[in-house]
């Protein structure tokens, strides 16, 4: 079910708790909300729909992807960029990395490690910041 977008910076600055299998409905709601906002948004974290749980969803080159408990384990090739956010007004400067390695659980709760580059890597970094309570 599509959920309203959270705009409270105090809530968004809270670190999310680890996701469990009991959070499957939150993941479905997150994906529904991302798809409903796909014209204005390429990624979302569960706290953006008011749930402080470590789940992200993003558009990975045309395929909507879900990650439970994502953790960036390696970062290479830093660069400066500007990003906006559906939850926060304006655009802010930040440092991102061209290549990242992420460990996460997929929708079937398999633990995977995958390397991402470019735009997908940037989206994941933004959403992982969200679940860690980091606002840009």
């Amino acid at each position: 079910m599509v959920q309203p977008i959270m705009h409270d910076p105090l809530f968004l600055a809270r670190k999310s708790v680890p996701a469990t299998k009991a959070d499957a409905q939150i993941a479905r709601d997150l994906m529904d909300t991302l798809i409903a906002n796909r014209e204005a948004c390429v990624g979302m974290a569960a706290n953006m729909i008011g749930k402080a749980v470590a789940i992200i969803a993003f558009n990975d080159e045309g395929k909507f992807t879900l990650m439970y408990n994502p953790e960036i384990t390696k970062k290479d090739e830093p660069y400066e960029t500007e990003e906006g956010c559906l939850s926060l007004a304006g655009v802010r400067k930040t440092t991102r990395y061209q290549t990242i390695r992420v460990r996460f659980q997929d929708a079937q709760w398999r633990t995977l490690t995958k390397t991402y580059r470019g735009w997908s890597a940037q989206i994941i970094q933004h959403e992982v910041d969200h679940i860690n309570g980091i606002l840009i």
Side-chain angles (χ1 to χ4, degrees):
M1 176 186 283
V2 175
Q3 299 294 318
I5 303 301
M6 170 63 68
H7 297 284
D8 179 359
L10 294 177
F11 179 83
L12 293 168
R14 292 179 22 205
K15 186 173 170 114
S16 296
V17 299
T20 68
K21 290 181 181 180
D23 296 316
Q25 184 61 51
I26 295 170
R28 284 190 292 275
D29 290 350
L30 182 64
M31 189 66 78
D32 289 347
T33 305
L34 173 60
I35 291 168
N37 287 280
R38 68 183 168 268
E39 297 301 320
C41 184
V42 292
M44 297 185 91
N47 60 357
M48 293 175 67
I49 60 168
K51 305 295 182 183
V53 179
I55 307 170
I56 69 169
F58 63 101
N59 185 338
D60 183 14
E61 299 179 8
K63 178 184 174 210
F64 289 99
T65 301
L66 184 73
M67 290 181 174
Y68 291 96
N69 304 310
E71 177 186 354
I72 298 172
T73 60
K74 187 175 181 184
K75 304 182 257 190
D76 289 311
E77 304 172 65
Y79 65 97
E80 297 297 318
T81 191
E82 291 185 344
E83 295 178 350
C85 182
L86 198 58
S87 287
L88 302 167
V91 175
R92 294 160 190 82
K93 291 183 180 186
T94 189
T95 300
R96 294 296 182 213
Y97 296 84
Q98 275 292 354
T99 305
I100 61 171
R101 183 176 303 139
V102 185
R103 183 174 46 242
F104 62 97
Q105 282 86 43
D106 67 6
Q108 290 75 43
W109 284 93
R110 297 174 293 200
T111 298
L112 304 173
T113 300
K114 189 170 176 183
T115 299
Y116 290 87
R117 289 193 50 78
W119 184 232
S120 292
Q122 184 174 339
I123 298 166
I124 293 166
Q125 290 168 82
H126 181 100
E127 303 315 329
V128 168
D129 278 356
H130 263 298
I131 64 172
N132 288 324
I134 299 167
L135 303 180
I136 62 145

